[in-house]
Amino acid sequence: MNRGTVFFVAIMTTSTLFAQNGIERAMAEIEAHNTTLKAMVKSVEAQKRANHADNALADPEVGVNKLWGDPSSIGNRTDISVSQEFDFPTITGAKTRVARRRDDMVDWQYKTERSAILLEAKEALIDVVYYNKYIAELERRMSHADAIYQAQKSSLEAGASNKLEFNNVRLGLSQIVTELKKAGTERQAVMTQLARLNGGERLQLADTAYAASELPSDFDMWYAQVMASHPTLGYAESQTEMSRSQLSAARQSALPSISLGYMSEKTMGEQFQGLTVGLSVPLWGSSRRIKQAKRESEAADAMRDDAKSQLYGMLKERYIRATGLAHAVEASKKALAEADNSVLLSKALKAGEISIVEYLVGLSYYYDAIDNLLSTERECQKAYAELTDFLL
């Protein structure tokens, strides 16, 4: 394994590979069906065409003059001219380079918006896995609580227990049933969200396990390796290059443009024809355009530097949160494994060493620990997804 990475945390203990395949399959399906992404692809194509729309030479100019002589004895004159202007930014490809840099910016912008959509989908899928796991846990608890309820009911009818103990058991069962209905409703809401992201088509995800993830052991080393892949930085770099290309094009626009053409002049009994050469000298406004391009280039450099700083800080924050949650998950797992009193409580209840109320209170501590672990696992997975959203 690469020395720059370590295993982040194996969140669940069963069907890890299946869970990864299930989530990856759902992510691929969402990317293929998402209507926003489809619209964005068409928008990217349209923007790229617009970027190159003005990169051609100016249209040829054709002129025809028909002049009637006065007096009529001198005859009429017919002039025909065709000319083509050649400007340096177009000839040298400066405008094309600007357009290509704009294309890069459009691509990076698409990647940014794509990452946001896929992150929303990934977090929703994490929620589904959480609710699948939580509902399975609640169903196990309900089965156990129902068995205790039936036993207490029989004991009450036989006069071996009191109404207070029976009511406590019944309330405990009622709470589990209520929580189970609530979790089912929340899961259904998340599935509806996923259907929206999937272009209206419903997804199926029965996984109850997250995939093992990897987190870098050295943040700075990892950042140096992946920073070029981040859309925020890629967009800023492309904007800087585009501004420099615009400055080059502005400087070339200050050079004279040349016009070449053909002209014919025909009068009664005479005709003149030949080549024409024109020169357009940009005396007005060229210096202002160059200064403006310089300012824009300087601004783009500053924005790129700021993007680097902000990106580093943001990813470092997410990294710290993800590693902290990973450690919390491991600590919770260890505590549950070492302090699981569920079997001891059951034995003590059967032996008459504790009352049903004491049993329920002790079991509630165990259930609270499980709930806390499940919740922390979900936060941990979401933190990792946010850290690596640009890699989705």
Side-chain angles (χ1 to χ4, degrees), residues 207-256:
D207 300 358
T208 57
Y210 303 108
S213 304
E214 292 184 352
L215 191 72
S217 59
D218 187 306
F219 174 79
D220 289 330
M221 181 185 299
W222 174 78
Y223 179 78
Q225 293 173 348
V226 303
M227 61 181 295
S229 303
H230 202 287
T232 299
L233 190 55
Y235 182 89
E237 291 285 2
S238 295
Q239 188 175 34
T240 299
E241 293 176 5
M242 188 270 292
S243 298
R244 290 173 180 169
S245 297
Q246 281 185 323
L247 177 58
S248 176
R251 285 170 173 164
Q252 292 182 30
S253 296
L255 299 175

Side-chain angles (χ1 to χ4, degrees), residues 258-277:
I258 301 173
S259 176
L260 300 177
Y262 164 82
M263 183 174 181
S264 171
E265 180 180 310
K266 186 176 182 181
T267 60
M268 185 175 60
E270 295 179 326
Q271 180 175 355
F272 301 90
Q273 59 183 350
L275 299 177
T276 62
V277 178

Side-chain angles (χ1 to χ4, degrees), residues 105 152 159 224 274 300:
M105 293 173 63
Q152 285 295 312

Side-chain angles (χ1 to χ4, degrees), residues 24-72:
E24 286 186 348
R25 171 176 42 79
M27 291 286 288
E29 190 172 342
I30 288 172
E31 184 169 11
H33 297 157
N34 186 268
T35 54
T36 302
L37 288 177
K38 290 181 180 179
M40 285 166 51
V41 169
K42 293 185 179 296
S43 177
V44 166
E45 294 175 354
Q47 290 180 57
K48 286 185 175 182
R49 288 184 179 275
N51 290 341
H52 293 266
D54 297 327
N55 288 353
L57 290 170
D59 294 330
E61 184 176 347
V62 178
V64 177
N65 300 322
K66 184 69 175 179
L67 305 177
W68 288 270
D70 186 18
S72 59

Side-chain angles (χ1 to χ4, degrees), residues 58 81 111:
S81 63
K111 290 177 181 178

